Amino acid sequence: MASDDTLPDDRRKMMESINRFLQDSVPHNHELGLSVVDLGVAEATMRLPYAEKLVGNPETGVLHGGAVTTLIDAACGISVFMKMARMARIATLDLRIDYLHPAMPGKDLLARAECYKLTRAVAFVRALAHHGDPANPVASAQGTFIIVED
């Protein structure tokens, strides 16, 4: 994952634009603090900053599964936009998430999603959520998104 100061101008501007969209148009994503931290041709990496308000079990400090799901779903959606290379309305049709181990308390969570197949009406996506090491994922996901043409 590249740092913001090493990204090409067009990619940095696209990330800034997408992050503004996420903050302005999706209140739930804004409340969670989600942000895009890297983009590729058919991929997106997003960050969910650790916050006490997102803890599902106060005894362990582990993030709530709903916050992890939202992170993965958002990253998958952005990867679809990156594959289409245009804006269109999309909606999650199916998202299967396998939770492999609890998210570690106090650590931000990253999700990297890849849209690996795009048809006229459906996008197919896979994702991993992790704390910085994709070889040790917290969750893996597979999803489909409908593409709504206006």
mmCIF file of all heavy atoms in Angstrom, residues 80 83-84 90-91 93-94 115-125 143-149:
data_model
loop_
_atom_site.group_PDB
_atom_site.id
_atom_site.type_symbol
_atom_site.label_atom_id
_atom_site.label_comp_id
_atom_site.label_asym_id
_atom_site.label_seq_id
_atom_site.Cartn_x
_atom_site.Cartn_y
_atom_site.Cartn_z
ATOM 1 N N VAL A 80 -15.801 -2.414 -7.382
ATOM 2 C CA VAL A 80 -16.686 -2.524 -8.552
ATOM 3 C C VAL A 80 -16.614 -1.244 -9.374
ATOM 4 O O VAL A 80 -16.472 -1.284 -10.599
ATOM 5 C CB VAL A 80 -18.142 -2.832 -8.133
ATOM 6 C CG1 VAL A 80 -19.088 -2.753 -9.343
ATOM 7 C CG2 VAL A 80 -18.239 -4.204 -7.467
ATOM 8 N N LYS A 83 -13.450 -1.190 -11.345
ATOM 9 C CA LYS A 83 -13.474 -2.101 -12.496
ATOM 10 C C LYS A 83 -14.313 -1.516 -13.635
ATOM 11 O O LYS A 83 -13.933 -1.604 -14.804
ATOM 12 C CB LYS A 83 -14.026 -3.462 -12.066
ATOM 13 C CG LYS A 83 -14.146 -4.486 -13.164
ATOM 14 C CD LYS A 83 -12.837 -5.167 -13.427
ATOM 15 C CE LYS A 83 -13.020 -6.382 -14.325
ATOM 16 N NZ LYS A 83 -11.774 -7.101 -14.511
ATOM 17 N N MET A 84 -15.447 -0.872 -13.285
ATOM 18 C CA MET A 84 -16.320 -0.294 -14.308
ATOM 19 C C MET A 84 -15.711 0.962 -14.916
ATOM 20 O O MET A 84 -16.037 1.321 -16.032
ATOM 21 C CB MET A 84 -17.688 0.061 -13.714
ATOM 22 C CG MET A 84 -18.506 -1.127 -13.322
ATOM 23 S SD MET A 84 -20.225 -0.725 -12.880
ATOM 24 C CE MET A 84 -20.060 0.615 -11.730
ATOM 25 N N ILE A 90 -25.098 0.768 -7.859
ATOM 26 C CA ILE A 90 -24.878 -0.649 -7.584
ATOM 27 C C ILE A 90 -25.520 -0.973 -6.243
ATOM 28 O O ILE A 90 -25.768 -0.076 -5.427
ATOM 29 C CB ILE A 90 -23.376 -1.034 -7.559
ATOM 30 C CG1 ILE A 90 -22.655 -0.341 -6.399
ATOM 31 C CG2 ILE A 90 -22.712 -0.749 -8.895
ATOM 32 C CD1 ILE A 90 -21.236 -0.855 -6.165
ATOM 33 N N ALA A 91 -25.788 -2.237 -6.037
ATOM 34 C CA ALA A 91 -26.314 -2.695 -4.750
ATOM 35 C C ALA A 91 -25.766 -4.083 -4.479
ATOM 36 O O ALA A 91 -25.571 -4.881 -5.405
ATOM 37 C CB ALA A 91 -27.840 -2.712 -4.767
ATOM 38 N N LEU A 93 -25.907 -7.727 -3.795
ATOM 39 C CA LEU A 93 -26.855 -8.839 -3.947
ATOM 40 C C LEU A 93 -26.596 -9.898 -2.886
ATOM 41 O O LEU A 93 -27.514 -10.417 -2.261
ATOM 42 C CB LEU A 93 -26.701 -9.496 -5.324
ATOM 43 C CG LEU A 93 -27.246 -8.757 -6.523
ATOM 44 C CD1 LEU A 93 -26.867 -9.487 -7.805
ATOM 45 C CD2 LEU A 93 -28.748 -8.633 -6.420
ATOM 46 N N ASP A 94 -25.321 -10.242 -2.718
ATOM 47 C CA ASP A 94 -24.943 -11.301 -1.802
ATOM 48 C C ASP A 94 -23.548 -10.998 -1.272
ATOM 49 O O ASP A 94 -22.676 -10.581 -2.035
ATOM 50 C CB ASP A 94 -24.943 -12.644 -2.538
ATOM 51 C CG ASP A 94 -24.547 -13.802 -1.637
ATOM 52 O OD1 ASP A 94 -25.234 -14.006 -0.615
ATOM 53 O OD2 ASP A 94 -23.557 -14.487 -1.944
ATOM 54 N N CYS A 115 -12.583 -6.682 -7.677
ATOM 55 C CA CYS A 115 -13.669 -7.068 -8.571
ATOM 56 C C CYS A 115 -13.032 -7.881 -9.695
ATOM 57 O O CYS A 115 -12.365 -7.336 -10.564
ATOM 58 C CB CYS A 115 -14.385 -5.834 -9.114
ATOM 59 S SG CYS A 115 -15.741 -6.246 -10.233
ATOM 60 N N TYR A 116 -13.199 -9.187 -9.656
ATOM 61 C CA TYR A 116 -12.490 -10.063 -10.589
ATOM 62 C C TYR A 116 -13.296 -10.425 -11.832
ATOM 63 O O TYR A 116 -12.743 -10.953 -12.798
ATOM 64 C CB TYR A 116 -12.001 -11.332 -9.883
ATOM 65 C CG TYR A 116 -13.093 -12.217 -9.329
ATOM 66 C CD1 TYR A 116 -13.626 -13.244 -10.107
ATOM 67 C CD2 TYR A 116 -13.574 -12.028 -8.045
ATOM 68 C CE1 TYR A 116 -14.619 -14.058 -9.603
ATOM 69 C CE2 TYR A 116 -14.560 -12.842 -7.538
ATOM 70 C CZ TYR A 116 -15.091 -13.854 -8.315
ATOM 71 O OH TYR A 116 -16.077 -14.658 -7.812
ATOM 72 N N LYS A 117 -14.600 -10.121 -11.833
ATOM 73 C CA LYS A 117 -15.423 -10.413 -13.010
ATOM 74 C C LYS A 117 -16.571 -9.409 -13.068
ATOM 75 O O LYS A 117 -17.212 -9.125 -12.059
ATOM 76 C CB LYS A 117 -15.989 -11.839 -12.911
ATOM 77 C CG LYS A 117 -16.956 -12.229 -13.998
ATOM 78 C CD LYS A 117 -16.263 -12.462 -15.308
ATOM 79 C CE LYS A 117 -17.273 -12.983 -16.347
ATOM 80 N NZ LYS A 117 -16.774 -12.909 -17.686
ATOM 81 N N LEU A 118 -16.785 -8.877 -14.253
ATOM 82 C CA LEU A 118 -17.829 -7.885 -14.461
ATOM 83 C C LEU A 118 -18.648 -8.286 -15.675
ATOM 84 O O LEU A 118 -18.088 -8.503 -16.751
ATOM 85 C CB LEU A 118 -17.171 -6.512 -14.679
ATOM 86 C CG LEU A 118 -18.055 -5.295 -14.745
ATOM 87 C CD1 LEU A 118 -18.773 -5.064 -13.419
ATOM 88 C CD2 LEU A 118 -17.203 -4.073 -15.091
ATOM 89 N N THR A 119 -19.952 -8.448 -15.476
ATOM 90 C CA THR A 119 -20.843 -8.682 -16.605
ATOM 91 C C THR A 119 -21.668 -7.411 -16.800
ATOM 92 O O THR A 119 -21.474 -6.422 -16.086
ATOM 93 C CB THR A 119 -21.780 -9.890 -16.354
ATOM 94 O OG1 THR A 119 -22.722 -9.550 -15.339
ATOM 95 C CG2 THR A 119 -20.982 -11.127 -15.966
ATOM 96 N N ARG A 120 -22.610 -7.452 -17.726
ATOM 97 C CA ARG A 120 -23.443 -6.275 -17.968
ATOM 98 C C ARG A 120 -24.258 -5.899 -16.729
ATOM 99 O O ARG A 120 -24.476 -4.728 -16.452
ATOM 100 C CB ARG A 120 -24.373 -6.555 -19.155
ATOM 101 C CG ARG A 120 -25.185 -5.375 -19.609
ATOM 102 C CD ARG A 120 -26.096 -5.708 -20.770
ATOM 103 N NE ARG A 120 -27.026 -6.805 -20.525
ATOM 104 C CZ ARG A 120 -28.104 -6.717 -19.750
ATOM 105 N NH1 ARG A 120 -28.392 -5.601 -19.133
ATOM 106 N NH2 ARG A 120 -28.895 -7.760 -19.593
ATOM 107 N N ALA A 121 -24.672 -6.901 -15.946
ATOM 108 C CA ALA A 121 -25.576 -6.636 -14.834
ATOM 109 C C ALA A 121 -25.052 -7.015 -13.450
ATOM 110 O O ALA A 121 -25.615 -6.593 -12.443
ATOM 111 C CB ALA A 121 -26.899 -7.365 -15.076
ATOM 112 N N VAL A 122 -23.983 -7.808 -13.383
ATOM 113 C CA VAL A 122 -23.500 -8.300 -12.088
ATOM 114 C C VAL A 122 -21.980 -8.199 -12.008
ATOM 115 O O VAL A 122 -21.275 -8.484 -12.973
ATOM 116 C CB VAL A 122 -23.932 -9.773 -11.852
ATOM 117 C CG1 VAL A 122 -23.428 -10.290 -10.516
ATOM 118 C CG2 VAL A 122 -25.447 -9.914 -11.928
ATOM 119 N N ALA A 123 -21.506 -7.799 -10.834
ATOM 120 C CA ALA A 123 -20.068 -7.759 -10.553
ATOM 121 C C ALA A 123 -19.764 -8.798 -9.475
ATOM 122 O O ALA A 123 -20.536 -8.967 -8.526
ATOM 123 C CB ALA A 123 -19.661 -6.374 -10.074
ATOM 124 N N PHE A 124 -18.633 -9.477 -9.631
ATOM 125 C CA PHE A 124 -18.197 -10.511 -8.699
ATOM 126 C C PHE A 124 -16.932 -10.030 -7.991
ATOM 127 O O PHE A 124 -15.981 -9.598 -8.639
ATOM 128 C CB PHE A 124 -17.924 -11.812 -9.458
ATOM 129 C CG PHE A 124 -19.147 -12.345 -10.157
ATOM 130 C CD1 PHE A 124 -19.497 -11.873 -11.419
ATOM 131 C CD2 PHE A 124 -19.952 -13.281 -9.542
ATOM 132 C CE1 PHE A 124 -20.635 -12.348 -12.064
ATOM 133 C CE2 PHE A 124 -21.094 -13.762 -10.181
ATOM 134 C CZ PHE A 124 -21.435 -13.296 -11.444
ATOM 135 N N VAL A 125 -16.942 -10.132 -6.665
ATOM 136 C CA VAL A 125 -15.889 -9.521 -5.858
ATOM 137 C C VAL A 125 -15.425 -10.489 -4.776
ATOM 138 O O VAL A 125 -16.201 -11.288 -4.266
ATOM 139 C CB VAL A 125 -16.414 -8.218 -5.195
ATOM 140 C CG1 VAL A 125 -15.332 -7.512 -4.416
ATOM 141 C CG2 VAL A 125 -17.012 -7.287 -6.233
ATOM 142 N N GLY A 143 -18.539 -11.794 -2.817
ATOM 143 C CA GLY A 143 -19.810 -11.118 -2.992
ATOM 144 C C GLY A 143 -20.186 -10.877 -4.435
ATOM 145 O O GLY A 143 -19.355 -10.989 -5.339
ATOM 146 N N THR A 144 -21.455 -10.555 -4.623
ATOM 147 C CA THR A 144 -21.963 -10.139 -5.925
ATOM 148 C C THR A 144 -22.724 -8.835 -5.753
ATOM 149 O O THR A 144 -23.373 -8.608 -4.729
ATOM 150 C CB THR A 144 -22.888 -11.201 -6.556
ATOM 151 O OG1 THR A 144 -23.928 -11.517 -5.635
ATOM 152 C CG2 THR A 144 -22.128 -12.456 -6.928
ATOM 153 N N PHE A 145 -22.600 -7.985 -6.769
ATOM 154 C CA PHE A 145 -23.264 -6.679 -6.767
ATOM 155 C C PHE A 145 -24.043 -6.524 -8.060
ATOM 156 O O PHE A 145 -23.541 -6.869 -9.130
ATOM 157 C CB PHE A 145 -22.216 -5.556 -6.677
ATOM 158 C CG PHE A 145 -21.596 -5.445 -5.312
ATOM 159 C CD1 PHE A 145 -20.690 -6.394 -4.873
ATOM 160 C CD2 PHE A 145 -21.919 -4.394 -4.470
ATOM 161 C CE1 PHE A 145 -20.121 -6.307 -3.610
ATOM 162 C CE2 PHE A 145 -21.352 -4.303 -3.215
ATOM 163 C CZ PHE A 145 -20.456 -5.260 -2.779
ATOM 164 N N ILE A 146 -25.256 -6.006 -7.976
ATOM 165 C CA ILE A 146 -26.033 -5.728 -9.171
ATOM 166 C C ILE A 146 -25.654 -4.343 -9.681
ATOM 167 O O ILE A 146 -25.403 -3.427 -8.883
ATOM 168 C CB ILE A 146 -27.556 -5.831 -8.921
ATOM 169 C CG1 ILE A 146 -28.309 -5.743 -10.246
ATOM 170 C CG2 ILE A 146 -28.029 -4.770 -7.957
ATOM 171 C CD1 ILE A 146 -29.753 -6.176 -10.156
ATOM 172 N N ILE A 147 -25.589 -4.209 -10.983
ATOM 173 C CA ILE A 147 -25.302 -2.928 -11.627
ATOM 174 C C ILE A 147 -26.608 -2.432 -12.219
ATOM 175 O O ILE A 147 -27.220 -3.114 -13.053
ATOM 176 C CB ILE A 147 -24.216 -3.077 -12.712
ATOM 177 C CG1 ILE A 147 -22.936 -3.646 -12.104
ATOM 178 C CG2 ILE A 147 -23.972 -1.745 -13.412
ATOM 179 C CD1 ILE A 147 -21.968 -4.200 -13.107
ATOM 180 N N VAL A 148 -27.059 -1.269 -11.779
ATOM 181 C CA VAL A 148 -28.344 -0.716 -12.224
ATOM 182 C C VAL A 148 -28.060 0.380 -13.244
ATOM 183 O O VAL A 148 -27.480 1.419 -12.918
ATOM 184 C CB VAL A 148 -29.136 -0.136 -11.048
ATOM 185 C CG1 VAL A 148 -30.475 0.405 -11.518
ATOM 186 C CG2 VAL A 148 -29.316 -1.189 -9.952
ATOM 187 N N GLU A 149 -28.445 0.128 -14.483
ATOM 188 C CA GLU A 149 -28.280 1.127 -15.540
ATOM 189 C C GLU A 149 -29.507 2.024 -15.548
ATOM 190 O O GLU A 149 -30.628 1.545 -15.507
ATOM 191 C CB GLU A 149 -28.110 0.445 -16.903
ATOM 192 C CG GLU A 149 -26.883 -0.428 -16.990
ATOM 193 C CD GLU A 149 -25.556 0.333 -16.914
ATOM 194 O OE1 GLU A 149 -25.542 1.566 -17.152
ATOM 195 O OE2 GLU A 149 -24.538 -0.297 -16.622
#
